[in-house]
């Protein structure tokens, strides 16, 4: 079917990437070896006809942080060099790390407790394994994504705000995640654009039930517009599993512009949903010289001016903020 589909629609749809079976943990009843063999045969058949297309793995979903998770075993089988998996990019579904039935999500800054491959930090382990295998040219792409795991077609105002803050935090961490000074991810499919409903994929949709934009979509649009003109520089502050340390990422544009994106990590409470804690965590940013101007933009796009000084106090809350400096 994949071979026929690509041959029929490659030119019409300008197909450049292929992900194979969606979430094999949900649909595949055979062995891990059979899954890999099918993947390799599909790869050889399509690649032989269309060498320019990048063919990914199956869309692995391994974000349930429990011991002995079947999805983790499937992924580890593909990552074992001795098994000979063929793929151009590893396709995974980057939903928030969680323990199903226990809580809505871990904070983006939290490591998995049981599954070292899961969560944003787990991507570092995957990239490390690919490189160890000599697969340094094989990419990693987040092919499905959402914010806080949805449980209903609509949120309260505070839940929408928490979802927006979560989305921007997570995308910032994925954007800046580095291994050996290279980006771990080459791309993220951010939203499922459809009105949210009660059944099927509509549960995961990113629009409100009436089709209007959610705060998360607006917040991510601001995030993408801010980083568009900058290059990533470094992490200034922030540690995995450190709830009481402000997370600060630095971007630069030429020699006279800097962007600092900062936030206070969410608190994790087992069995409870992620929520805004309404607390502030201060971080003192020391600059090399006095800037000409400083502006601060919040997650909603509201802009304010900050007194130009070599020392700036960042008041971090769960919702990320943008500090732009001109020299």
């Amino acid at each position: 079917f994949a071979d026929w589909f690509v041959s029929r629609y490659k030119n019409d749809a300008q197909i450049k990437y292929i992900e194979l079976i969606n979430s094999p943990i949900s649909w595949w009843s055979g062995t891990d070896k059979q899954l890999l063999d099918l993947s390799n045969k599909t790869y050889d058949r399509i690649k032989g006809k269309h060498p320019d297309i990048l063919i990914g793995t199956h869309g692995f979903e391994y974000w349930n942080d429990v011991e002995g998770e079947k999805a983790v075993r499937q992924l580890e089988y593909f990552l074992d060099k001795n098994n000979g998996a063929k793929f151009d990019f590893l396709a995974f579904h980057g939903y928030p790390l969680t323990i199903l039935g226990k809580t809505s999500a871990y904070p983006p800054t939290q490591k998995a407790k049981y599954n070292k491959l899961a969560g944003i930090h787990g991507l570092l382990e995957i990239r490390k394994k690919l490189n160890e295998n000599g697969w340094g040219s094989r990419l990693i792409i987040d092919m499905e994504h959402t914010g806080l795991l949805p449980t209903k077609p609509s949120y309260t105002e505070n839940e929408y705000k928490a979802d927006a803050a979560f989305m921007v935090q997570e995308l910032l961490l994925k954007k800046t995640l580095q291994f050996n000074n290279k980006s771990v991810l080459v791309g993220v499919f951010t939203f499922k654009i459809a009105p949210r409903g009660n059944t099927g994929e509509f549960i995961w949709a990113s629009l409100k039930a009436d089709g209007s934009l959610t705060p998360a979509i607006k917040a991510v649009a601001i995030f993408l517009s801010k980083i568009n003109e900058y290059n990533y520089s470094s992490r200034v502050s922030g540690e995995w599993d450190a709830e009481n340390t402000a997370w600060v990422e630095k971007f630069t544009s030429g020699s006279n512009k800097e962007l600092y994106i900062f936030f206070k990590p969410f608190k994790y409470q087992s069995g409870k949903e992620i929520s805004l804690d309404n607390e502030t965590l201060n971080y003192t940013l020391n600059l090399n010289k006095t800037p000409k101007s400083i502006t601060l933009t919040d997650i909603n796009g509201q802009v304010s001016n900050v007194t130009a000084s070599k020392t700036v106090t960042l008041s971090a809350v769960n919702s990320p903020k943008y500090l732009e400096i001109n020299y």
Side-chain angles (χ1 to χ4, degrees):
F1 173 78
D3 175 38
W4 168 83
F5 186 91
V6 171
S7 297
R8 169 60 184 84
Y9 292 106
K10 178 180 183 294
N11 294 330
D12 292 348
Q14 300 181 29
I15 295 174
K16 300 183 185 300
Y17 300 87
I18 302 171
E19 174 191 290
L20 300 178
I21 295 174
N22 172 57
S23 183
I25 186 176
S26 302
W27 308 109
W28 185 255
S29 58
T31 65
D32 295 340
K33 182 180 184 304
Q34 289 172 329
L35 183 66
L36 188 146
D37 288 345
L38 176 62
S39 176
N40 283 357
K41 289 178 180 179
T42 306
Y43 182 95
D44 287 338
R45 179 180 292 188
I46 297 177
K47 203 72 173 178
K49 298 177 181 178
H50 312 287
D52 57 318
I53 288 182
L54 296 183
I55 302 176
T57 60
H58 310 290
F60 290 112
E61 294 184 0
Y62 53 93
W63 34 272
N64 187 21
D65 187 25
V66 297
E67 293 182 282
E69 174 74 347
K70 173 185 174 183
V72 178
R73 188 198 71 214
Q74 289 177 338
L75 177 57
E76 288 177 334
Y77 193 85
F78 270 68
L79 291 175
D80 187 336
K81 183 179 180 179
N82 296 321
N83 294 329
K86 299 178 182 180
F87 57 91
D88 298 317
F89 67 91
L90 190 144
F92 79 100
H93 295 177
Y95 296 112
L97 180 64
T98 187
I99 302 176
L100 290 178
K102 298 293 184 181
T103 183
S104 63
Y106 292 4
T109 56
Q110 186 169 328
K111 295 180 184 178
K113 293 179 173 63
Y114 306 107
N115 171 17
K116 68 178 183 178
L117 300 180
I120 299 175
H121 187 271
L123 292 170
L124 292 169
E125 296 296 326
I126 293 174
R127 183 70 265 172
K128 180 180 178 181
K129 183 62 176 178
L130 292 174
N131 289 11
E132 287 175 351
N133 288 351
W135 298 346
S137 63
R138 301 191 188 188
L139 312 175
I140 307 178
I141 304 177
D142 181 344
M143 301 291 284
E144 276 191 30
H145 190 88
T146 186
L148 295 173
L149 295 177
T151 57
K152 51 195 173 184
S154 64
Y155 286 162
T156 65
E157 182 179 357
N158 283 337
E159 287 172 332
Y160 274 125
K161 289 179 179 179
D163 184 44
F166 187 97
M167 282 287 290
V168 177
Q169 281 192 27
E170 189 177 56
L171 289 174
L172 174 63
L173 266 60
K174 288 182 175 180
K175 171 69 176 177
T176 59
L177 193 65
Q178 303 246 315
F179 183 76
N180 289 343
N181 296 317
K182 293 183 179 180
S183 295
V184 171
L185 286 173
V186 297
V188 176
F189 284 74
T190 309
F191 293 112
K192 295 185 177 183
I193 302 297
R196 183 169 290 169
N198 291 306
T199 60
E201 291 296 315
F202 291 104
I203 294 174
W204 306 90
S206 56
L207 299 176
K208 291 183 179 180
D210 63 2
S212 60
L213 297 180
T214 58
I217 289 182
K218 296 177 182 179
V220 168
I222 293 171
F223 166 70
L224 294 176
S225 69
K226 288 295 181 185
I227 65 174
N228 185 52
E229 64 174 295
Y230 291 91
N231 296 311
Y232 179 59
S233 173
S234 61
R235 186 191 309 168
V236 176
S237 174
E239 299 290 338
W240 302 99
D241 292 334
E243 293 180 345
N244 296 315
T245 302
W247 200 287
V248 185
E249 299 284 3
K250 179 182 178 180
F251 297 76
T252 61
S253 178
S255 60
N256 62 349
K257 294 183 70 175
E258 294 176 346
L259 167 67
Y260 295 88
I261 307 179
F262 61 96
F263 63 87
K264 178 186 183 295
F266 284 107
K267 291 182 177 179
Y268 176 69
Q269 296 176 288
S270 180
K272 295 185 178 180
E273 294 185 354
I274 290 287
S275 62
L276 302 176
D277 59 32
N278 298 315
E279 296 177 2
T280 301
L281 190 63
N282 290 331
Y283 178 83
T284 301
L285 181 65
N286 295 307
L287 305 174
N288 293 326
K289 57 183 180 180
T290 302
K292 290 181 179 179
S293 65
I294 303 177
T295 59
L296 181 68
T297 305
D298 67 15
I299 197 170
N300 300 310
Q302 297 298 312
V303 181
S304 59
N305 294 319
V306 177
T307 302
S309 171
K310 288 180 65 176
T311 303
V312 182
T313 299
L314 305 180
S315 298
V317 294
N318 296 143
S319 297
K321 298 178 183 178
Y322 309 90
L323 191 81
E324 293 180 269
I325 296 176
N326 286 279
Y327 293 103

